[in-house]
Amino acid sequence: MTGKHISYAVQNVEGLSYSPGGVSKVALVTEGGGQRGIFTAGVLDAFLEHGFNPFSLLIGTSSGALNLASFICGQHHHAYRVITEATTTAKFFDIYRYLSRRGGLDLDWLIEQTKTELLLDWQRGCQNMRHRTVLATASNMAFHQASYFDLASDDRTLSLKASCSIPGLSHQHVVANEEQWVDGGLCAPIPVQEAYNRGYRHIVVVRTVPIEQRFDHCWMTNIQRMLGKTKAASMIALLLEHEKNYRQTQEFLNNPPDDATIYEIHPRKPLSSKLIGSDIEALDTDYQKGHRSGRYFLNTIGRHLNNECVQDSNQYQPYAQGGGE
């Protein structure tokens, strides 16, 4: 017997009649996906508008971690601005600079923006994390294992950079604690199993792809062997490792343990946004899709979770709508 997996795509009737009982604590898990994280930004902005945060554990991978930073700091529309204003500029990523090997994703510049032009209010964020754990997922290149940086106690700059360092697009690994780190999506693309292992049995997952989407390039294994010990072969190996971990995670999501309930917020169809290089129209469209999905979740299961998980009203301090810009 497996646990419950409930889809909360807009217009999906599956979750309309479901009402949980005995929920003592809830975790939130956010997938990465580069600029496709604009969907997650819309979901979390809907949560902020309604003061909804029953979560005592929040785990994000890559752009999902950046989204959680904006969310825990209570800053409505902040993640939207980071994606539309910062990640769309040539200062962050320029295809000609990348192809000429003069640089890939400039994560130093991106994180610097969250300290200047797109300031994250970590004073408020630390207040909101007093009774919560917020983690950014990164992959250790030496052991090929996921690790989880605590945004309340670890170096936030290094934690977020490590989580977002996409192999192939970032020419250099991030070094933290004398270890090399890359994007958390390599080893834990959707860190739902980590939430379960930490004792959470009610887990809200925000995806940036439809739940039925599959990634399978196993046929590239033969090409990898032909390339020998080359950089191209190493990149193929990382791709295959990511896809293997993704399939294992999807299996967990689709067939959770019998004591677990997964509430999955996701787009019904592939988003218009891409990993990188999306235009503003596509990003705006996908943000609105996420925002509608967030409102749909709140109007169905969200109100039950909020009532079940009693929170001290002083524990979470969001900005007023539009604040923090």
Side-chain angles (χ1 to χ4, degrees):
M1 179 179 179
T2 59
K4 290 184 173 62
H5 172 275
I6 307 163
S7 164
Y8 287 93
V10 173
Q11 298 179 343
N12 193 326
V13 299
E14 182 182 358
L16 289 176
S17 61
Y18 180 70
S19 177
V23 180
S24 59
K25 58 182 184 178
V26 186
L28 174 65
V29 171
T30 52
E31 183 179 18
Q35 290 177 334
R36 290 193 295 267
I38 196 77
F39 176 87
T40 304
V43 171
L44 298 184
D45 272 354
F47 288 3
L48 282 173
E49 290 163 15
H50 292 81
F52 178 80
N53 188 350
F55 312 111
S56 49
L57 174 67
L58 303 89
I59 314 178
T61 289
S62 195
S63 63
L66 285 173
N67 269 300
L68 288 186
S70 299
F71 180 63
I72 204 62
C73 290
Q75 291 174 260
H76 181 271
H77 225 234
H78 180 272
Y80 170 88
R81 291 190 59 201
V82 169
I83 295 172
T84 58
E85 296 179 22
T87 72
T88 57
T89 68
K91 290 183 179 179
F92 176 60
F93 182 76
D94 180 82
I95 186 62
Y96 300 106
R97 186 178 69 228
Y98 172 74
L99 292 175
S100 66
R101 305 294 299 170
R102 290 184 291 113
L105 298 179
D106 193 339
L107 294 173
D108 290 318
W109 179 84
L110 179 65
I111 299 301
E112 185 62 27
Q113 295 306 293
T114 67
K115 300 177 181 179
T116 53
E117 299 299 320
L118 298 167
L119 181 66
L120 276 167
D121 185 354
W122 282 114
Q123 180 177 357
R124 185 180 298 265
C126 288
Q127 292 175 348
N128 287 332
M129 287 189 284
R130 283 183 300 169
H131 303 283
R132 295 179 173 86
T133 300
V134 184
L135 306 175
T137 309
S139 299
N140 186 299
M141 284 302 291
F143 304 104
H144 286 239
Q145 294 178 344
S147 290
Y148 301 88
F149 291 94
D150 192 325
L151 294 186
S153 59
D154 293 324
D155 185 317
R156 298 186 193 102
T157 295
L158 284 174
S159 300
L160 293 173
K161 281 174 57 180
S163 188
C164 296
S165 181
I166 303 173
L169 292 182
S170 299
H171 284 322
Q172 293 182 330
H173 301 150
V174 174
V175 178
N177 302 327
E178 299 183 351
E179 300 278 3
Q180 290 187 331
W181 304 89
V182 296
D183 193 308
L186 174 64
C187 296
I190 311 168
V192 61
Q193 287 152 296
E194 181 66 17
Y196 181 83
N197 292 339
R198 288 174 182 249
Y200 286 79
R201 299 299 179 259
H202 292 266
I203 307 170
V204 177
V205 177
V206 183
R207 297 279 296 276
T208 54
V209 298
I211 58 175
E212 67 275 5
Q213 186 159 330
R214 295 290 181 268
F215 301 94
D216 194 346
H217 291 83
C218 293
W219 55 271
M220 296 184 72
T221 302
N222 292 331
I223 297 177
Q224 177 194 359
R225 294 195 189 101
M226 292 170 57
L227 291 172
K229 295 182 179 181
T230 63
K231 186 170 184 178
S234 298
M235 289 307 303
I236 292 174
L238 292 177
L239 171 65
L240 295 175
E241 181 177 357
H242 162 75
E243 292 185 345
K244 180 193 72 174
N245 291 326
Y246 204 100
R247 289 193 296 271
Q248 291 175 348
T249 300
Q250 284 186 309
E251 178 63 24
F252 183 93
L253 289 168
N254 294 333
N255 300 284
D258 58 10
D259 59 346
T261 303
I262 306 294
Y263 312 87
E264 197 161 7
I265 305 170
H266 61 92
R268 296 180 65 86
K269 298 179 180 179
L271 297 174
S272 301
S273 307
K274 301 175 288 186
L275 182 70
I276 196 73
S278 311
D279 59 46
I280 295 298
E281 183 179 359
L283 293 171
D284 279 335
T285 297
D286 290 341
Y287 173 82
Q288 293 302 328
K289 288 179 180 178
H291 193 264
R292 287 194 297 272
S293 298
R295 294 202 317 268
Y296 180 73
F297 180 84
L298 291 171
N299 290 331
T300 52
I301 193 65
R303 52 197 171 91
H304 297 295
L305 295 179
N306 233 12
N307 291 334
E308 289 274 354
C309 301
V310 178
Q311 297 284 338
D312 183 339
S313 60
N314 293 322
Q315 286 183 19
Y316 186 64
Q317 302 180 35
Y319 280 108
Q321 183 172 342
E325 300 178 44

